[in-house]
Amino acid sequence: MRKFLALALALAIALGISSCSAENGGGYAFTLMGKKSDLVKSYMTAIFGLYEKTTGNKIKIISYEDSEYETRAAADFESGNAPDVFMHFHNAEIQRFHPEKNFYYLNNESWVNDLTDSAKAYCQDGDGNLLGLPFWESSVSGCYYNKTILDGLGLKPATTQREFDTLCQVLADTGYTPICWPADGCTWILQFGLDPIFADDPEMLEKINSNEISYSDIPEVADMFGWIAGAAEKGWLGNGYLETGWDDISPAMSSGSAVMTFIWDTWFYTDFKPGKYTIDDFALMPVFLNTVENGTYEGGNLNMMTVNKNSERLEEALGFLEFCADPENYNLAFDGISTVSCFNRQTTNIQSKMVTDARESIAECERVSTAASRIIGYSADDANAALVELLRKKNDVAGCVKQLDEKRLAEIQKESD
């Protein structure tokens, strides 16, 4: 069977078969809606082609430009033109599509037990209902550190916030920049600190989303910003962090001028350029941002396939998800793709040794991506802008948190207009 599927996939690719061919054949089994850039990912075109070739069914693809996807998709749902299969990252925007009214709960599908715990958690709503099938590339975000430098200094990775603070100070005293912090336009780091606050307390997440509380009412938020400001003053972020951007991370890490950075494993395969140090010199520990004592990892943000429970083609749509969740099929689609597994029987993807070596720590400290995906009105750009104001000493910690509250409310208002 595997040999047949491999040949079928190779033939589909060779003939240039794509999911868009469904629109030219007259009939189709179901409709599938996604962002233009998402639909052309190699593993997506592979699974579309494999499904059509293997089953003889056609998929009608509805593709929207990324910048207008949420708006146009919401309009389609509102007008009664919702697709049979709808692709979406499980973020706060998903509420626009009224999951409880429109999405088929997938709790009892045959493939559910094959999902990894983190992938399953990402796709569940607050009541534990599985909203979609995670069929996407994934990563683990954490503190990636130069183990060769630490070993040479007789130092160990941290397991608590106190140990991490001590590690940073020792590295600074030794002449290293402890943390490469790219404050110039790189906006993802703050969500790592916010994730545990809300992932560990769903009631708090519900309260901030209903505007019963604000960031200013949550001491850990101020603790995080205060810790970062203190780290900068102590030299733990080096001298040029305000001018350090995306393109500067790799040189800092490959040269060894910086020892740690808060990023994800796939970055080492897509953007890291080896120098004095290579990928083999790095390892993984939790991120410590003074919001949780034992640190945290952030699981990947996953694109999931939801199913329209009101669809006349419900069985066909569910059948497609079952096809995608078959190990024979997803292993063909993700062959050679650098990703953390979303399925327990996923074997053909590439997983970094850094992640596999830290598996026990990850299992203990990983949180599903929460701040950026589930706080209504959260903007990574706004959060970083508030931090930069603090680091430039144009604001204090309380003012920084207040600014973040004001920006969040403004974003909510903008989305409702």
Side-chain angles (χ1 to χ4, degrees), residues 111-140:
W111 42 262
V112 171
N113 289 336
D114 192 29
L115 296 178
T116 63
D117 290 343
S118 58
K120 182 180 178 181
Y122 184 89
C123 296
Q124 289 177 319
D125 66 12
D127 296 320
N129 294 308
L130 188 65
L131 300 181
L133 170 71
F135 197 86
W136 204 246
E137 58 192 281
S138 187
S139 60
V140 174

Side-chain angles (χ1 to χ4, degrees), residues 31-39 48 60-66 69 73 83 85-88 303:
T31 59
L32 183 147
M33 180 183 290
K35 292 181 182 178
K36 185 176 181 180
S37 67
D38 292 345
L39 295 169
F48 294 152
K60 181 178 180 180
I61 293 293
I62 303 168
S63 174
Y64 291 143
E65 293 288 345
D66 294 15
Y69 184 68
V85 177
F86 175 58
M87 294 179 63
H88 200 278
N303 209 343

Side-chain angles (χ1 to χ4, degrees), residues 8-234:
L9 179 58
L11 179 61
I13 294 173
L15 294 176
I17 293 174
S18 76
S19 53
C20 294
S21 66
E23 297 179 285
N24 301 321
Y28 53 86
F30 61 91
T31 59
L32 183 147
M33 180 183 290
K35 292 181 182 178
K36 185 176 181 180
S37 67
D38 292 345
L39 295 169
V40 297
K41 294 282 189 180
S42 63
Y43 43 86
M44 297 307 300
T45 58
I47 200 67
F48 294 152
L50 182 59
Y51 173 81
E52 291 187 345
K53 185 66 178 178
T54 304
T55 67
N57 294 331
K58 296 293 184 180
I59 308 170
K60 181 178 180 180
I61 293 293
I62 303 168
S63 174
Y64 291 143
E65 293 288 345
D66 294 15
S67 61
E68 58 186 17
Y69 184 68
E70 300 288 346
T71 302
R72 294 191 65 178
D76 285 341
F77 272 78
E78 188 67 27
S79 64
N81 294 315
D84 304 311
V85 177
F86 175 58
M87 294 179 63
H88 200 278
F89 285 91
H90 192 187
N91 55 37
E93 287 286 331
I94 205 167
Q95 294 306 316
R96 301 175 64 175
F97 303 96
H98 306 289
E100 70 287 347
K101 183 173 71 173
N102 291 315
F103 294 174
Y104 183 90
Y105 293 153
L106 302 164
N107 306 342
N108 298 318
E109 294 302 292
S110 61
W111 42 262
V112 171
N113 289 336
D114 192 29
L115 296 178
T116 63
D117 290 343
S118 58
K120 182 180 178 181
Y122 184 89
C123 296
Q124 289 177 319
D125 66 12
D127 296 320
N129 294 308
L130 188 65
L131 300 181
L133 170 71
F135 197 86
W136 204 246
E137 58 192 281
S138 187
S139 60
V140 174
S141 296
C143 177
Y144 288 83
Y145 67 93
N146 190 316
K147 63 182 180 182
T148 302
I149 291 177
L150 259 59
D151 289 347
L153 295 172
L155 300 173
K156 295 182 179 180
T159 60
T160 67
Q161 183 69 52
R162 179 176 295 181
E163 289 178 2
F164 186 75
D165 291 353
T166 299
L167 177 61
C168 287
Q169 190 58 59
V170 172
L171 288 170
D173 291 343
T174 311
Y176 288 98
T177 294
I179 307 168
C180 176
W181 189 291
D184 185 12
C186 297
T187 61
W188 63 81
I189 299 178
L190 293 176
Q191 68 197 50
F192 300 158
L194 294 173
D195 277 351
I197 299 173
F198 299 99
D200 295 355
D201 191 344
E203 184 177 349
M204 187 175 293
L205 178 63
E206 184 176 338
K207 285 182 177 180
I208 198 166
N209 281 337
S210 61
N211 293 324
E212 294 179 51
I213 62 173
S214 63
Y215 292 125
S216 299
D217 299 314
I218 305 171
E220 292 90 344
V221 177
D223 291 344
M224 177 181 70
F225 282 105
W227 183 88
I228 297 168
E233 291 178 356
K234 295 169 188 171

